[in-house]
């Protein structure tokens, strides 16, 4: 297939502009072909083995599978992370959360950091590499996610301890963390109609959705855990559903946290929470 035939085969799913972008992404990330290479006919000149592989990849794309799963990689905070089906694809808004944490903590090392619900490990690895001297632990309940997180930490040279823990059954072990961060499932089931089909059909629902009657299913136990394990002056950071951001703040205040900030993302949506432990001692 020619370059034009490739992107046009995706146009019914993505529209022209995004179909071209997805095609360019595959050709560059998987085959190392720049736009200049493509314009010079590199696609037409592929050897049969690479052409057959290209056809296989585009067959998956035409089924609506996210391009990050197809190529097995996603860019996050300037680094390439391995991803595969069953593990949530890193999002740009989560990069913003990492930037916030790094900016506020890079000069406080050595610090102990906990990432609850690590998924691909993108948060834990980024914080480990961008906050020198930090000691980072990453928890998840999914064995598939834990495998990917370990792979990313190892490949990127991050000092991250990856462990299997259930965010709904956290056991306090005394004050120990300077930073706790979590991007838990926060999309209510009734919001599915507003989401893209490729997300609904291919990404892990357990990492995305919560019951309509339990929008804070993960936030509440994590806040309770943080209230007992954050060191004085430490901070709990969340990624949020803007629709329930105020509810998260209320739960944090009820747990004894007096300093709770809701922070907008680059699209002016309440996307993050910063919850400071300013008490003299933990609850």
């Amino acid at each position: 297939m020619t370059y034009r035939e490739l992107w046009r085969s995706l146009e019914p799913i993505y529209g022209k502009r995004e179909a071209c972008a997805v095609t360019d992404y595959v050709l560059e990330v998987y085959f190392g072909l720049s736009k200049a290479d493509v314009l010079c006919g590199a696609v037409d000149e592929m050897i049969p083995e690479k052409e057959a592989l290209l056809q296989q990849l585009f067959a998956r794309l035409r089924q609506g599978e996210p391009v990050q799963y197809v190529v097995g990689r996603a860019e996050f905070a300037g680094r390439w992370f391995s991803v595969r089906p069953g593990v949530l694809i890193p999002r740009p808004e989560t990069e913003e959360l990492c930037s916030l944490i790094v900016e506020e903590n890079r000069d406080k090392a050595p610090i102990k950091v906990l990432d609850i619900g690590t998924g691909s490990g993108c948060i834990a690895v980024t914080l480990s590499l961008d906050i020198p001297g930090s000691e980072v632990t990453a928890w998840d309940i999914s064995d598939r996610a834990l495998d990917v997180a370990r792979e990313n930490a190892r490949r990127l040279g991050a000092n991250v301890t990856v462990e299997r823990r259930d965010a709904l059954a956290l056991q306090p072990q005394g004050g120990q963390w300077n930073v706790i961060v979590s991007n838990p499932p926060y999309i209510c089931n009734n919001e599915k109609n507003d989401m893209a089909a490729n997300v609904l059909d291919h990404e892990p629902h357990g990492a995305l959705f919560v019951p309509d009657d339990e929008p804070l299913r993960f936030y509440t136990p994590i806040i309770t855990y943080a209230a007992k394990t954050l060191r004085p002056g430490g901070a709990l950071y969340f990624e949020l559903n803007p629709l329930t951001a105020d509810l998260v703040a209320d739960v944090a205040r009820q747990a004894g946290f007096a300093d709770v900030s809701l922070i907008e993302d680059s699209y002016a949506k309440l996307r993050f929470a910063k919850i400071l432990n300013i008490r003299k001692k933990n609850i």
Side-chain angles (χ1 to χ4, degrees), residues 121-236:
C122 60
I123 293 177
V125 170
T126 298
L127 298 184
S128 174
L129 295 175
D130 291 349
I131 303 178
S134 58
E135 182 180 335
V136 181
T137 299
W139 291 348
D140 208 294
I141 196 172
S142 165
D143 290 332
R144 184 173 296 182
L146 293 171
D147 287 343
V148 172
R150 290 189 184 100
E151 175 187 335
N152 282 320
R154 182 173 58 252
R155 184 174 52 79
L156 292 169
N159 182 21
V160 177
T161 300
V162 180
E163 300 174 345
R164 191 180 193 277
R165 297 287 182 90
D166 184 353
L168 299 178
L170 299 174
Q171 298 298 319
Q173 300 171 343
Q176 56 182 319
W177 308 108
N178 301 98
V179 170
I180 298 176
V181 57
S182 184
N183 175 22
Y186 60 62
I187 304 171
C188 290
N189 286 319
N190 60 22
E191 299 177 68
K192 288 181 178 179
N193 290 338
D194 298 325
M195 298 182 66
N198 63 338
V199 174
L200 291 173
D201 293 343
H202 296 278
E203 295 204 58
H205 284 205
L208 290 167
F209 297 107
V210 289
D212 295 339
D213 60 350
E214 287 187 277
L216 307 188
R217 184 176 193 178
F218 290 90
Y219 292 98
T220 299
I222 292 172
I223 289 170
T224 300
Y225 175 81
K228 297 180 182 295
T229 60
L230 266 182
R231 291 176 176 174
L236 167 62

Side-chain angles (χ1 to χ4, degrees), residues 224-257:
T224 300
Y225 175 81
K228 297 180 182 295
T229 60
L230 266 182
R231 291 176 176 174
L236 167 62
Y237 297 86
F238 279 126
E239 186 171 320
L240 304 170
N241 183 338
L243 298 176
T244 56
D246 289 330
L247 296 177
V248 173
D250 289 342
V251 170
R253 294 186 182 103
Q254 291 168 13
F257 291 105

Side-chain angles (χ1 to χ4, degrees), residues 26-86:
V26 173
L27 292 173
E28 181 175 3
V29 173
Y30 206 94
F31 294 94
L33 299 179
S34 67
K35 192 69 174 179
D37 294 328
V38 173
L39 293 175
C40 291
V43 175
D44 300 332
E45 297 170 1
M46 277 188 174
I47 62 174
E49 291 81 1
K50 287 190 175 182
E51 184 178 358
L53 178 56
L54 184 65
Q55 293 282 9
Q56 293 172 11
L57 299 179
F58 271 75
R60 294 170 62 184
L61 290 169
R62 287 192 291 272
Q63 295 298 316
E65 188 172 350
V67 64
Q68 294 90 343
Y69 288 156
V70 171
V71 300
R73 295 198 292 171
E75 188 173 10
F76 183 88
R79 301 180 179 94
W80 287 99
F81 285 77
S82 297
V83 293
R84 50 180 175 261

